Amino acid sequence: MNWSIFLAAAGSASVEFLETAAIAYAIARSGYRREAIWGTVAGLTVVAVAAIALGSSLQLIPLYLLQIIIGSLLVWFGWGWVKKSVLRQAKGKRAGWMSDDPLEAEGILIETEPENFSPLNFMIMAKSAALEGLEVAIIVTTLGLASAAWKEAISATFLALVFSIGLVTLLHQYLLKLPEVLIKLGAGILLMALGTFWLGEGLNFEWPFEEFAILILVSLYSLAATVAIYILKKSQTISETKVPG
């Protein structure tokens, strides 16, 4: 069992699927249940088909070049997630979709006139699901290609999808208790560590301790994130307590 791949895929997919499920729940709660369900299915299906095609074509690329591409992609994704999460954690903010009205927080405007079926709301939901699913598809595909641990990557993604749907539809009152910022921060750190490792592999860098170097990279990135949060919190406290003149 490749736990690093499983945890990276599960953490990454959970954050994106939870956001999709929260938006779908908000649209369904507004009276457009069919649009929310079928829009989500359509958006994720399109992305899944594209991911299968992407995975098949990427397998034709030489291994060292594939490792460089995958490593760069994961570092890029991971850095974006870590940066956003560090800033949110330091400021005590949460993601917009964790609010009472995720549609308003995310700037999503839906059609409110009662209709038999709203094509506009269907397209809005399909687009939202596709955008979030695209990140999941890219990350999971690259994780599977680089490690050959497709079983762990796909099973973790499926479990994350089931977990997200269940949490939002059955236990939505507990959703606000979920530490989504820390989950995204942890997933981002793991993606950066795996990306750095595979980027080094593609560039023929000899990692000390071989695959255990991933744990060292996770520790270093975690330490850097913790220090960054501490410094940002401290500077914010100083600026708030500073008396002018």
Side-chain angles (χ1 to χ4, degrees), residues 24-36:
Y25 178 78
I27 291 178
R29 192 175 56 184
S30 301
Y32 298 96
R33 183 173 297 179
R34 288 184 301 164
E35 290 85 340

Side-chain angles (χ1 to χ4, degrees), residues 36-203:
I37 294 173
W38 291 113
T40 302
V41 171
L44 293 180
T45 300
V46 169
V47 170
V49 172
I52 293 172
L54 177 67
S56 301
S57 60
L58 284 177
Q59 287 179 352
L60 302 175
I61 301 175
L63 179 61
Y64 78 94
L65 188 55
L66 188 61
Q67 288 175 327
I68 293 174
I69 293 172
I70 287 172
S72 301
L73 274 174
L74 291 182
V75 169
W76 180 64
F77 270 109
W79 166 247
W81 285 20
V82 168
K83 181 181 178 182
K84 187 180 293 185
S85 299
V86 164
L87 291 174
R88 282 177 176 165
Q89 189 69 16
K91 295 178 181 178
K93 292 185 177 181
R94 307 196 71 179
W97 58 270
M98 292 295 286
S99 64
D100 293 328
D101 190 351
L103 296 180
E104 182 181 353
E106 294 291 326
I108 299 174
L109 299 176
I110 64 171
E111 192 173 43
T112 55
E113 305 243 344
E115 282 188 19
N116 220 359
F117 187 86
S118 172
L120 177 61
N121 290 345
F122 169 81
M123 290 302 299
I124 289 172
M125 188 63 247
K127 178 183 175 182
S128 299
L131 286 174
E132 302 302 331
L134 182 61
E135 285 199 32
V136 175
I138 293 173
I139 291 170
V140 171
T141 301
T142 52
L143 287 173
L145 284 170
S147 63
W150 286 104
K151 180 181 175 182
E152 288 86 344
I154 294 173
S155 61
T157 304
F158 178 75
L159 288 175
L161 179 60
V162 173
F163 166 75
S164 303
I165 294 172
L167 183 65
V168 173
T169 56
L170 302 177
L171 303 170
H172 57 274
Q173 65 268 34
Y174 300 108
L175 184 63
L176 293 178
K177 296 181 181 179
L178 196 70
E180 90 290 350
V181 174
L182 292 179
I183 292 175
K184 193 160 191 171
L185 177 60
I189 288 172
L190 193 46
L191 290 180
M192 283 188 68
L194 290 169
T196 304
F197 179 80
W198 284 322
L199 186 58
E201 290 270 288
L203 296 173

